């Protein structure tokens, strides 16, 4: 082999060696910077790490642990590289801007950071979730009835994992209701014009000494004077639960709770038996109220939608009100409400929003 050929072979060998070292070194760097240990080398990651340690992804009965990269770095080559490049901003903020260098700063940016991650997972169809979880591998019948129903709903509506499974490893951001929203609603109710024939209770409203009217209940105005209204409400009473007035026959949306005096003051029709053997009768009740009422439902429903966005949709994809029946919604709303800080009054408004727009109500 002459000198020229030897030089060419030598250059090629050096090129291959440098290429191998470059690729190998890059691979090692990418792998090392994807480790949980590397993530924790930034002190700002101590708080999310503690949250993660309390989650099922860190410790569970099966002894399977998802590391940081398993959830935050997709395995697809291009998505992997894009994610690694995007992560360089975290290093910038860690050492230059100190954006989340204190617990107070971290909490201030928690919602922003969470929404960024949720958007990325939404965009890649929850790729990192699906690297471990598969709908095809689910033992549906081992799940709770509610989980079965919601998983099927998600499949039917092309939802992805992150639509519902937020906060599985880290604390959810605290989303606060507009502190003035209820005050604005009250002010609007105070402006309900005199002479409005149909009004709507916007909160629990006493009626004479007959009981309490629930939010969203429509009321026929019979008379107005000195800031008081004499109103009539119509509903249904079930035999055996005479203290409760419902939206309709067989539709257990509670519109009022009655005292003994209220039960005696009812105007009633004959009982009718439903398909399940329950006896129902239509009733009306007239009495006085002096609390503000709304002239239309739009404002109350807008307030309820804010409640839905703050207390429900923060954790999972919004469930349309026509997904459940009027009778199913109370237990669903209560079970979810118990996991939040929503007040009893707001939960009642939200429940009524779901019930009045339930699939067996709006379909009529």
């Amino acid at each position: 082999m002459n000198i020229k050929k030897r030089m060419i072979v030598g250059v090629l060998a050096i090129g291959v060696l440098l290429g191998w070292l470059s690729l190998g070194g890059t691979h090692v760097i990418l792998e090392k910077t994807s480790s949980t240990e590397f993530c924790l080398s930034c002190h700002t990651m101590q708080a999310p790490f503690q949250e993660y340690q309390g989650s099922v992804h860190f410790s569970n009965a099966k002894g399977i642990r998802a590391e940081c990269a398993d959830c935050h770095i997709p395995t697809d080559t291009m998505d992997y590289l894009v994610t690694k490049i995007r992560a360089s901003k975290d290093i910038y903020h860690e050492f230059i801007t100190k954006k989340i260098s204190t617990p107070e700063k971290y909490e201030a940016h928690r919602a922003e950071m969470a929404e960024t991650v949720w958007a990325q997972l939404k965009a890649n169809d929850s790729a990192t979730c699906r690297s471990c979880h598969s709908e095809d591998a689910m033992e549906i019948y081992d799940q709770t009835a509610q989980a079965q129903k919601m998983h099927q709903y998600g499949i039917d509506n092309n939802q992805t994992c992150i639509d519902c499974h937020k906060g599985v490893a880290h604390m959810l951001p605290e989303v606060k209701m507009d502190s003035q929203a209820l005050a604005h609603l009250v002010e609007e109710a105070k402006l309900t014009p005199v002479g409005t024939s149909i009004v709507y209770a916007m909160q629990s409203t006493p009626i004479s000494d007959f009981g309490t009217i629930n939010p969203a209940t429509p009321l026929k105005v019979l008379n107005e004077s000195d800031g008081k209204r004499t109103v009539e409400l119509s509903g249904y009473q079930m035999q055996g639960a005479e203290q409760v007035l419902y939206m309709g026959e067989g539709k257990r949306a509670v519109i009022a709770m009655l005292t003994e005096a209220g039960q005696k003051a009812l105007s009633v029709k004959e009982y009718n038996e439903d398909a399940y053997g329950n006896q129902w009768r239509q009733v009306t009740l007239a009495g006085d109220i002096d609390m503000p009422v709304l002239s239309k439902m739009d404002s109350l429903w807008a307030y309820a939608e804010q409640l839905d966005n703050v207390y429900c949709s923060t954790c999972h994809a919004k469930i349309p009100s026509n997904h459940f029946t009027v009778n199913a919604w109370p237990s669903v709303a209560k079970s979810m409400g118990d996991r939040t800080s929503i007040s009893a009054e707001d939960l009642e408004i939200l429940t009524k929003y779901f019930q009045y727009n339930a699939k067996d109500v709006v379909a009529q």
Side-chain angles (χ1 to χ4, degrees):
M1 183 181 295
N2 58 37
I3 295 176
K4 185 175 181 180
K5 288 183 177 179
R6 288 177 181 174
M7 289 180 64
I8 293 173
V9 171
V11 169
L12 288 174
I14 292 171
V16 169
L17 178 62
L18 290 175
W20 182 84
L21 290 173
S22 177
L23 289 174
T26 300
H27 175 74
V28 169
I29 291 171
L30 290 174
E31 285 295 308
K32 290 293 184 183
T33 56
S34 297
S35 68
T36 298
E37 291 74 16
F38 178 81
C39 296
L40 294 177
S41 65
C42 292
H43 83 277
T44 53
M45 290 296 102
Q46 294 305 313
F49 180 65
Q50 290 173 3
E51 296 170 1
Y52 156 65
Q53 285 180 306
S55 76
V56 71
H57 282 79
F58 182 84
S59 180
N60 51 72
K62 293 182 172 60
I64 301 171
R65 178 170 296 168
E67 301 290 347
C68 298
D70 294 325
C71 294
H72 290 281
I73 304 179
T75 55
D76 176 79
T77 302
M78 287 307 299
D79 286 342
Y80 178 89
L81 293 174
V82 168
T83 300
K84 297 298 289 186
I85 293 170
R86 187 188 290 130
S88 61
K89 69 175 175 49
D90 298 331
I91 299 174
Y92 173 76
H93 288 307
E94 175 73 19
F95 296 104
I96 306 299
T97 68
K98 309 290 185 181
K99 184 176 181 178
I100 54 173
S101 59
T102 67
E104 293 76 19
K105 288 182 179 180
Y106 189 92
E107 287 303 322
H109 291 283
R110 183 186 286 271
E112 173 194 340
M113 294 186 291
E115 287 167 2
T116 297
V117 173
W118 296 341
Q120 291 166 1
L121 284 166
K122 180 76 171 176
N124 63 29
D125 194 22
S126 303
T128 53
C129 304
R130 296 181 189 278
S131 65
C132 290
H133 303 280
S134 169
E135 291 166 351
D136 294 336
M138 286 182 183
E139 288 289 354
I140 294 293
Y141 296 105
D142 286 342
Q143 299 176 357
T144 65
Q146 185 66 17
Q148 292 179 37
K149 184 180 294 185
M150 294 312 298
H151 278 137
Q152 190 58 53
Y153 176 81
I155 293 169
D156 294 342
N157 290 274
N158 296 316
Q159 291 184 339
T160 188
C161 309
I162 198 60
D163 283 325
C164 291
H165 296 283
K166 297 171 183 172
V168 293
H170 303 294
M171 299 293 290
L172 286 165
E174 183 180 0
V175 182
K176 295 183 179 180
M177 188 74 179
D178 179 1
S179 60
Q180 296 301 310
L182 183 58
H184 292 157
L185 197 62
V186 172
E187 288 304 312
E188 180 179 334
K190 290 179 180 178
L191 297 176
T192 295
V194 173
T196 303
S197 59
I198 301 294
V199 296
Y200 303 88
M202 57 155 288
Q203 53 195 321
S204 295
T205 302
I207 176 168
S208 298
D209 61 347
F210 298 153
T212 304
I213 302 168
N214 282 353
T217 301
L219 305 167
K220 180 181 179 181
V221 179
L222 304 178
N223 187 42
E224 288 181 75
S225 64
D226 299 326
K228 289 187 177 182
R229 291 179 173 88
T230 300
V231 298
E232 180 184 82
L233 70 152
S234 299
Y236 285 79
Q237 190 180 45
M238 187 178 76
Q239 196 172 61
E242 285 80 5
Q243 75 278 18
V244 185
L245 293 190
Y246 295 100
M247 169 200 288
E249 183 177 316
K251 291 183 167 53
R252 301 173 192 270
V254 178
I255 63 172
M257 296 295 295
L258 304 180
T259 62
E260 287 188 15
Q263 295 174 48
K264 293 176 181 178
L266 290 173
S267 296
V268 302
K269 294 186 177 181
E270 294 296 321
Y271 276 112
N272 292 309
E273 186 173 324
D274 66 15
Y276 303 98
N278 298 310
Q279 297 288 330
W280 295 85
R281 65 181 179 184
Q282 192 171 5
V283 301
T284 57
L285 176 68
D288 296 330
I289 62 172
D290 57 9
M291 293 186 68
V293 288
L294 294 164
S295 60
K296 55 185 178 180
M297 291 298 296
D298 297 356
S299 300
L300 187 62
W301 286 167
Y303 179 73
E305 287 177 353
Q306 288 186 56
L307 294 172
D308 189 12
N309 291 334
V310 170
Y311 293 107
C312 304
S313 305
T314 301
C315 299
H316 56 72
K318 183 172 286 192
I319 301 173
S321 54
N322 62 2
H323 179 62
F324 291 111
T325 64
V326 64
N327 293 345
W329 266 119
S331 60
V332 173
K334 185 180 185 307
S335 67
M336 296 300 180
D338 288 344
R339 306 176 192 181
T340 72
S341 59
I342 190 171
S343 68
E345 187 79 9
D346 280 344
L347 181 59
E348 181 64 26
I349 292 173
L350 184 57
T351 302
K352 287 298 179 287
Y353 168 71
F354 290 140
Q355 288 189 292
Y356 276 76
N357 295 280
K359 67 180 180 182
D360 54 343
V361 174
V362 295
Q364 293 180 346

